[in-house]
Amino acid sequence: MSHIQIKNLKKSYIDQRRIARGEEKSFKNQDIVVLNDINLEFQDGEMVCILGPSGCGKSTMLRMIAGFEKPTSGHVLINGEVVSQPRADSIFVFQHSGLLPWMTVWENVELGVRHLEDTEKKHKIIQDYINMVELGNFENHYPHQLSGGMLRRAELARALAVNPDTLIMDEPFSGLDFLTHMKMREEVVNMHEFIKKTTLVVTHDIDDALIMGDRVIVMSGRPSQVKLERKLSFGRPRDLGSHPELRELRDEIFFMLGVSYAV
Amino acid sequence: MPHKRIIYPLVTFFFIIILWELVTRFGDISSNNFPKPIEVLISTEELIVNGKLLKNTVASLFRVSIGFSLAVLLGVPLGIILGRLENAKFLFNPLVQFLRPISPLAWIPLAMLWFGIGDPPAIFLIFLASFFPMVVSTSVAVESIRPTFFQVAANFNFSRYEVLTKIVIPAITPQVITALRMTIAIAWLVVVAAEMIAVQSGLGYLILDSRNALRMDYVMVGMIAIGIIGLLLDFIMRKLGNIESTAWGRLTK
Ligand SMILES: Nc1ncnc2c1ncn2[C@@H]1O[C@H](COP(=O)(O)OP(=O)(O)OP(=O)(O)O)[C@@H](O)[C@H]1O
Ligand SMILES: [Mg+2]
């Protein structure tokens, strides 16, 4: 179970260009402020989709939830406990593949269950998840021998095999062709319906967010704040065609991000 | 054509020999200064039969193997430490960068003073020539490991030992193999020079000794042997780079 709270989260980076110019780095207020006072809460088992303009700090926020980076101020709490380092119960799926290229698909998936003593059980878990993402027969392939979509699926299998309480996915569908994108999206939704783990998905695609999310969050450009937060209590299967409210929300988000759907 | 890799180089060498024959036959050069291919061939046979070629080749290879292996065994771990630990880098990197540009040949006087004559000074020089390139390439390779891999390691609760064996070592392997290939070529260059000074055997000594006896045909046999062995060493190192689990290093990025 994982219940995540983000409290007064701020993140700023030191402006490297100013240091390169030899200026004093002590003026805190001149640092690049990426996230400015974010407050959010994710319920256990919820799938939350996060939208926002490029460079607004979505990946940065996910990295702090995962414990890869420390906030400048404020904190992230998981089940009431401050996140201070990465933990094996919240698994991160990377925007650019996080598979280890020197390991086969099998060895990569094994990483999360490598401490299991019961070898038979271990092998069954690995095989089950590899089969689940339809990579049976590719166990002994190395990442460079897989297509983009297969890489994402292998990484998803690796994450799920850990049976984590939280799944953190940074643009899991970016760079995929249309059909693979649709198929992966369906797989992630089915997977979530089945295991009901807290799942955070950052995406650039508004339709993805509206179709997948139990909730959608829109962030503003830098310094980033939460601009919109909306619960989506629609059943599944869900599509935009049969829900005028979703289409309205889509237009609202497009407007908010400063673009228009109809051109 | 499937055998391009073999036939094309043979064609090149064939033309070089033809050219060599033409120059020595029609050029105004005495056979003492530039022996003909056939003379060198006969001398090669002589040196093979009397065992000198084999003995000197083995002597050179022995020194290179010891000096180069020591350099790899010490240089790669030191490179990993410099690449991973910032304090170690601040402490030792300036020293490494200071010693690196000093040609191994500049060490000859000290090497002879410290180690006398024979194998030890020659091995020491080869070690020096190989050690710094290995340290520097390894630490650069470690520093260029994608941060994502360390985040994956942290995410999956890797121990320090696992970070070393499952992330750092495999990640740097392709670059370290390339460095081995570059470095053994340097070691092979240096052994010949070292043998001209400190020892009484080896291909370098064969060349020097033949020059003193004004036998340019033997000098050329020695040069050819050096070239062929260099080619073989490079071939072996390249085979090492073809291991399947390092293929990603050639195919990605
Ligand atoms: N290590 C860092 N040092 C300095 N600035 C950084 C660092 N990491 C991120 N930033 C800055 O923080 C901002 C947010 O980056 P982040 O990767 O979180 O954006 P994002 O919302 O995920 O963008 P995208 O949708 O394009 O992936 C960017 O402007 C980036 O320049
Ligand atoms: Mg991002």
Side-chain angles (χ1 to χ4, degrees):
Chain A
M1 112 118 199
S2 84
H3 169 234
I4 302 172
Q5 289 158 290
I6 297 179
K7 290 196 173 160
N8 308 322
L9 189 72
K10 276 193 190 172
K11 180 75 184 178
S12 50
Y13 288 106
I14 295 163
D15 189 341
Q16 298 293 342
R17 284 168 309 176
R18 294 187 52 242
I19 293 179
R21 274 188 256 123
E23 291 172 37
E24 279 291 328
K25 66 170 188 181
S26 55
F27 304 108
K28 263 248 145 63
N29 55 349
Q30 289 198 19
D31 290 349
I32 299 177
V33 179
V34 179
L35 297 171
N36 193 14
D37 205 18
I38 307 276
N39 285 284
L40 285 169
E41 194 165 351
F42 308 121
Q43 302 302 328
D44 182 45
E46 200 182 16
M47 169 124 75
V48 181
C49 293
I50 300 160
L51 291 164
S54 174
C56 77
K58 305 179 295 294
S59 299
T60 305
M61 184 168 85
L62 290 191
R63 282 200 298 274
M64 284 189 288
I65 297 172
F68 295 154
E69 265 177 52
K70 297 218 180 343
T72 307
S73 69
H75 24 240
V76 177
L77 301 158
I78 296 187
N79 301 329
E81 208 181 295
V82 174
V83 174
S84 56
Q85 60 184 43
R87 30 199 287 168
D89 56 10
S90 22
I91 296 292
F92 199 101
V93 177
F94 290 85
Q95 181 168 2
H96 311 288
S97 175
L99 293 172
L100 302 183
W102 46 86
M103 291 185 181
T104 61
V105 169
W106 180 278
E107 290 165 338
N108 265 291
V109 176
E110 190 177 10
L111 288 181
V113 290
R114 68 194 187 287
H115 293 311
L116 275 187
E117 297 203 341
D118 184 345
T119 357
E120 213 166 285
K121 188 176 160 206
K122 179 161 81 182
H123 285 181
K124 188 175 163 351
I125 293 176
I126 300 170
Q127 193 67 62
D128 283 352
Y129 282 104
I130 289 179
N131 291 344
M132 178 181 156
V133 297
E134 293 173 31
L135 284 178
N137 296 330
F138 289 95
E139 291 90 349
N140 296 321
H141 282 59
Y142 285 91
H144 69 262
Q145 298 166 320
L146 304 180
S147 71
M150 290 160 98
L151 286 173
R152 300 299 172 88
R153 289 187 341 241
E155 197 170 343
L156 191 60
R158 181 176 78 178
L160 294 176
V162 183
N163 192 21
D165 294 330
T166 316
L167 263 175
I168 304 171
M169 300 201 233
D170 197 358
E171 301 192 27
F173 315 129
S174 67
L176 298 179
D177 68 274
F178 181 72
L179 286 177
T180 316
H181 178 153
M182 300 297 275
K183 198 152 186 314
M184 275 287 287
R185 181 166 89 180
E186 191 183 336
E187 276 172 28
V188 172
V189 169
N190 289 342
M191 176 276 297
H192 180 256
E193 289 286 292
F194 184 64
I195 62 171
K196 283 287 179 204
K197 302 289 186 189
T198 312
T199 306
L200 311 181
V201 184
V202 159
T203 167
H204 272 153
D205 189 322
I206 299 178
D207 285 13
D208 280 351
L210 295 177
I211 285 177
M212 296 170 66
D214 297 321
R215 196 142 54 97
V216 58
I217 287 168
V218 181
M219 293 166 69
S220 67
R222 247 181 23 208
S224 193
Q225 284 179 312
V226 176
K227 243 185 164 178
L228 174 140
E229 208 183 332
R230 197 69 65 82
K231 206 160 170 51
L232 304 171
S233 337
F234 303 90
R236 299 204 180 279
R238 182 197 291 176
D239 69 303
L240 294 190
S242 37
H243 296 288
E245 306 95 304
L246 279 180
R247 289 202 300 277
E248 265 168 40
L249 181 55
R250 180 182 65 190
D251 293 340
E252 192 182 330
I253 295 173
F254 268 116
F255 182 73
M256 198 170 271
L257 295 175
V259 286
S260 117
Y261 185 63
V263 286
Chain B
M1 200 162 67
H3 298 305
K4 256 188 192 174
R5 286 159 172 278
I6 297 166
I7 291 173
Y8 280 24
L10 287 180
V11 169
T12 312
F13 279 113
F14 181 73
F15 273 104
I16 294 291
I17 291 168
I18 298 278
L19 199 66
W20 176 9
E21 174 68 30
L22 290 176
V23 169
T24 46
R25 181 180 297 247
F26 301 109
D28 185 21
I29 310 167
S30 97
S31 197
N32 285 337
N33 290 348
F34 195 178
K36 294 194 173 59
I38 186 71
E39 292 165 340
V40 173
L41 192 69
I42 292 165
S43 310
T44 307
E45 202 205 338
E46 257 172 58
L47 288 178
I48 289 174
V49 170
N50 69 17
K52 271 192 176 168
L53 189 60
L54 184 68
K55 189 185 126 233
N56 287 311
T57 304
V58 170
S60 295
L61 278 175
F62 168 76
R63 290 176 192 125
V64 166
S65 324
I66 306 283
F68 177 72
S69 307
L70 279 176
V72 173
L73 289 177
L74 293 173
V76 171
L78 181 63
I80 291 178
I81 292 169
L82 293 188
R84 286 290 287 159
L85 305 177
E86 198 163 69
N87 288 336
K89 183 176 162 182
F90 289 148
L91 277 171
F92 294 114
N93 203 42
L95 181 65
V96 170
Q97 298 303 343
F98 165 74
L99 291 173
R100 193 163 73 115
I102 301 175
S103 162
L105 303 184
W107 285 87
I108 288 177
L110 285 178
M112 286 176 72
L113 199 63
W114 295 344
F115 298 98
I117 52 166
D119 282 335
I123 290 173
F124 176 68
L125 292 176
I126 293 158
F127 171 82
L128 279 179
S130 323
F131 180 69
F132 294 111
M134 286 315 298
V135 173
V136 173
S137 329
T138 306
S139 70
V140 169
V142 171
E143 282 173 357
S144 63
I145 298 175
R146 257 176 69 196
T148 308
F149 298 144
F150 291 113
Q151 294 178 339
V152 170
N155 205 177
F156 286 87
N157 272 339
F158 278 22
S159 63
R160 289 183 73 116
Y161 177 73
E162 283 177 309
V163 172
L164 182 66
T165 56
K166 291 187 175 151
I167 306 281
V168 175
I169 291 176
I172 62 173
T173 300
Q175 274 159 283
V176 168
I177 289 176
T178 309
L180 290 177
R181 205 177 137 196
M182 303 295 189
T183 306
I184 202 154
I186 298 175
W188 191 237
L189 275 178
V190 169
V191 71
V192 174
E195 284 166 349
M196 290 190 165
I197 293 132
V199 289
Q200 304 282 305
S201 65
L203 291 170
Y205 171 75
L206 175 74
I207 289 176
L208 190 78
D209 193 46
S210 310
R211 188 207 64 172
N212 291 341
L214 296 175
R215 290 294 302 262
M216 291 309 137
D217 50 337
Y218 286 175
V219 169
M220 289 192 72
V221 176
M223 288 169 68
I224 291 169
I226 290 167
I228 289 175
I229 289 165
L231 211 62
L232 288 178
L233 289 175
D234 189 61
F235 177 77
I236 294 167
M237 289 297 157
R238 226 164 357 160
K239 281 282 164 230
L240 209 61
N242 285 347
I243 306 164
E244 194 180 13
S245 62
T246 64
W248 63 272
R250 273 169 280 129
L251 298 171
T252 50
K253 41 183 153 169

